Amino acid sequence: MPGLTSAAGIVGFLKEPEPDLQVFALRILNDEIDSLWTEVAGSIQDIEGLYEDVNFPERELAALVAAKVYYNLQEYNESMTFALGAGKLFNLDVEGEFEDTIISKCVDTYIALSGSTPANAVSQPPPQLTTSFPSVANGASSTSASLASPTTPFSQSVLPSKSLLSRQDSSTAFDPGTTAGKSTLPGALPDSIASQAGIQKQLYAIIDELFERCFRSGGYRQVVGIAVEARRLDVLRRAILRASEDEKKQGKANGEKLGRGQELMEYVLEVCMDVVQERGLRNELLRLILDLLNDIPSPDYFSVAKCIVYLDEHTMASELLAQLVDKGDSRSLAIAYQIAFDLYDNSTQGFLKRVREGLPQSLEESKPQDSGPGERTEEANVEARETDHLLGEQQNGTNASAPSINESSEEQRALSPEADKAFNAIRDILRGIKTIELDLEFLFRNNRTDMAILNKVRDSLEARNSIFHTAVTLATAFMHAGTTNDRFFRDNLEWLGKAVNWSKFTATAALGVVHRGHLGQGQKLLSPYLPKDNVTTSVYSQGGSLYALGLMYANHETFALDLIREHFKKATEEVVQHGAALGLGVAGMATGDDGIYDDLKNVLYTDSALNGEAVGIAMGLIMLGTGNIRALEDMIQYAHDTQHEKIVRGLALGMALIMYARQEGADELVNGLLDDPDPILRYGGIQTLALAYCGTGSNKAVRKLLHVAVSDVSDDVRRIAVMSLGFILFRKPSSVPRMVELLSESYNPHVRYGAAMALGISCAGTGLDEAIDLLEPMIKDPTDFVRQGALISLSMIMIQQNEAMNPKVSTIRKTLQKAISDRHEDAMTKFGSAASLGIIDAGGRNCTISLQTQTGNLNMSGVVGMAVFTQYWYWFPLTHFLSLSFTPTAIIGVDQDLEVPSFKFHSATRPSLFDYPPEQETKIEDAPEKVKTAVLSTTAQAKRRAQKKERQQRRESMDIDQSPTTPRTNNIGDKMDVDESAIKPDEGQDEKADGEKKEGEEVKESQPQSEGLKKRMEKEKVGYDLENMSRVLPAQRKFVSFPDGRYEPVKKPSGGVIMLIDKTPSEPKALMELKAKKNARAAAAPQSLQERVNNALGQGNDPIPPSGAAEAAGVLTAVDEDSSGDGDGEAELPGPFDYLNDGEEDEGREGGE
């Protein structure tokens, strides 16, 4: 029949008593509802009545018509309810806007209902601190700021396209206990609809049918996404198993390396690590993946290891390694070694220690033989460690299902010589010995430090000023980090001798940065500086040497930890305790050692401001990531009791370190600290939030930071709030410039500084143009510390960038050098420029700054180092912590004998694309030119007349002498003449015009350079070979292949140490010589003061001059002279808050509060 123009007559049939007429009317309306719904809307009650009449034969048809009417009225909840009541009449196969909208609404409702079920709730409540925080916060930010619930579906919590400040507010606070699925959450259903059991049954039927359609079409990832959002692990398991079953039926497609099931599990693992923001849900998903992987005959062992590390299942890690070794084949052994290398890169010292103890031991081996020097098996310490599920007193039942450490370590059996050798090699790898040795060899072998830059920095900054001396020290340490090259200190003894007090402390500690990882020679190198009985040396050098020893053995528990602890206990000088505390924290990072913690706490209770700050940080480093409730309660209590701001600041950072990566487990502590009236504790609350949610991209954490950044009354708190955005979002660096764009233009310089540092932290090593565009104007900011932060951030972003990767790098390098040589620049900016020159060339231009490991996990050392480095604002020696974030960018191939073979791999790029930046050309400085003498025009005319007269006389006398040697004068005129050398065109103009001219010249100079580089790159061939142990940048890894016919990597190269399988093991192999071991040398003992005087006067008995190392040690260990100039006594210790030198006010930030 033709289309209807009015529904008046048809609607009238709905009120007829005859069911046939009513059915007739419904069928016509169902076909023409899109054009007649406005007239039908008035009779919607009649249609609903027909649906509710149990005797009506076409109830489903009435429900379908009602659903379409409500859809046109944009009442989607009611429309979905009636569409579900339509049963089979609602056809999923029909493509249309109505069907698509209802399906989307069904999926959202399914997610909301599934998330509200008790079975999917977090199994354990968060821990409760017994320490009460002040209930009234004067000036503190409110914790009830608008935040999204941690259980909000991901479809509602992704980063919006615009600023997060424009997001719709919800009523939930920063509380992990918020229940999901309530009507207050965005996208949730009203309780009246959600409570209808009949509707839920039909909803699940629709969703199941939708899943079946996805399975038939191969859309397994869509099902996985819905299952993860709905927290339905049963559906997730079903999807993965169905994918495997379908693969068996259809067979693996040609060219597929992985089956559908394994590929889907990798996708789930990627979603779990990168998308899921709630830790409890992530753990449940990882356990599911782990169970499914274990059911596969030949699983992806590297995915298994990744799950094991995150779940902290040390027993499973030991069993996995033992299982691979027991297989006996070469590939399984190489995989076991590779997993051991990955475990070291991604795990804490405590976890690695328990894995080593869980490995099988031969009957001949004694139990203490596995424990290396300084490795103590403390049952109480292990039992006191917090797990992921229970904290504090709730931890008693945690290890009920898993065998204890003693049981696993006591498991001994008869091992074959090959297996025994393999397990010993795995233990060495898990201790980090091989990784550290190989990284040290790479940095030593490929050191490309440009000494011309460093010498220019030294010459441009006055060493008598303590802040400038410290700046040069930091630049030297960063440039040579891990290279073992300390020649600059030995060649510049006069400059080094100007270090006094804390500058000497920082210079001595820099040796630990330079020799980081020098395990074999570390103690010998620092022996001249370490405290000794009955030997009087500078206490600053002693403290700095203990700090250096910790940096040298950072995150590597060996004898050094016991040595530093022994010196810490015996020390009576506060400066020595300060350095020893920092060294203890760095070397014992994340060990959870209660004995060290108690030693630190005893010194803390002496209430010394000088060492209290370092002790507070060290306590957090020892308990890093454990969430130890007892430690938190002690630190909170003492932070409220002490009157020293330095101690409170150290404890605040220490509490943040304890909650590293705890996510929802840290929420209660964050709430308490942010409600505290003390701005330093609120500062610590922001740090806790940043480290707890580091790298998660959590929306609720970002919203909280933005709220505090614009609302807190303390500049320090606002600064750290903006800066912490970099820690939360460093996995999404491209989103940070957009987020801090407005904050970078704030009227508050502290907020601008925080925005600059947030860009540097999140975009480190990326060369991101958007970040550089925001930072370039900040270089000219009117506030000195904002310029300092902008320069440091630019260096972190531009690290390992060359002209081919980013054309702006040369301009930025010139800007850094110009800021140092500019005598009108402020001291703070010069300090930042010097440190930036060290950062941009870190590790001999072979290191980048990375907060995540090669495999994508959090880089614990990198995150901690960056977090403590940001505290250089208050204390310059903490700047050395940045070296923990330096990651060597190399591919190091190792064979099954753990030796380094000589072979080549291929990079499918042009050589200059990822090449080292060119070294700075050393210009030979000419003698200063004399000022050009102006010649008056009258004098020139007199000279010309005299010359003319002389020539006339010679012609008249017919003289045949040679022409005179006086230079000719051209362009004769009445203007003032000058000497031969021409004056620059812009000379004599004002300084502003001169500066503009120079800037224009720099731009013109850079353009030909970039054009020449492009032409040179066009001539280069694509593809070249690299030797083993060569530098490979992160962006270059995807172009790397191993065409060598002999060696094959066990996994896709991700950087770092790569295990190789030798296809022809019977043939002789060529090995690379380890040059770092060969060139290792111990530092000579320093000469006494009398010996140095005798040598200076020529009265020494030894005609051989002392070595540079001995001279450097003698300079740094010499006792500082007192202010009277007598030089007979030791310099008095500085006051608790007064460390100024020569009256320099620029050093106020370093010396006190």
Side-chain angles (χ1 to χ4, degrees), residues 1071-1108:
L1071 300 178
M1072 299 185 70
E1073 181 184 8
L1074 300 183
K1075 298 181 180 179
K1077 276 187 176 181
K1078 185 177 179 180
N1079 289 274
R1081 59 180 182 272
Q1087 294 178 303
S1088 65
L1089 180 61
Q1090 185 60 40
E1091 290 173 344
R1092 293 202 303 273
V1093 171
N1094 292 338
N1095 285 336
L1097 298 177
Q1099 301 173 359
N1101 296 325
D1102 188 2
I1104 302 175
S1107 65

Side-chain angles (χ1 to χ4, degrees), residues 469-529:
H469 196 286
T470 300
V472 178
T473 299
L474 295 174
T476 306
F478 291 156
M479 282 189 184
H480 296 92
T483 63
T484 71
N485 184 358
D486 56 2
R487 183 177 177 181
F488 180 83
F489 291 115
R490 294 185 280 112
D491 291 347
N492 295 276
L493 296 178
E494 181 181 357
W495 167 85
L496 192 62
K498 296 179 181 179
V500 293
N501 296 345
W502 290 105
S503 296
K504 183 174 292 186
F505 178 93
T506 306
T508 309
L511 294 175
V513 178
V514 174
H515 292 278
R516 184 189 174 192
H518 209 170
L519 304 182
Q521 302 292 327
Q523 187 178 8
K524 292 182 180 179
L525 287 166
L526 292 176
S527 59
Y529 310 92

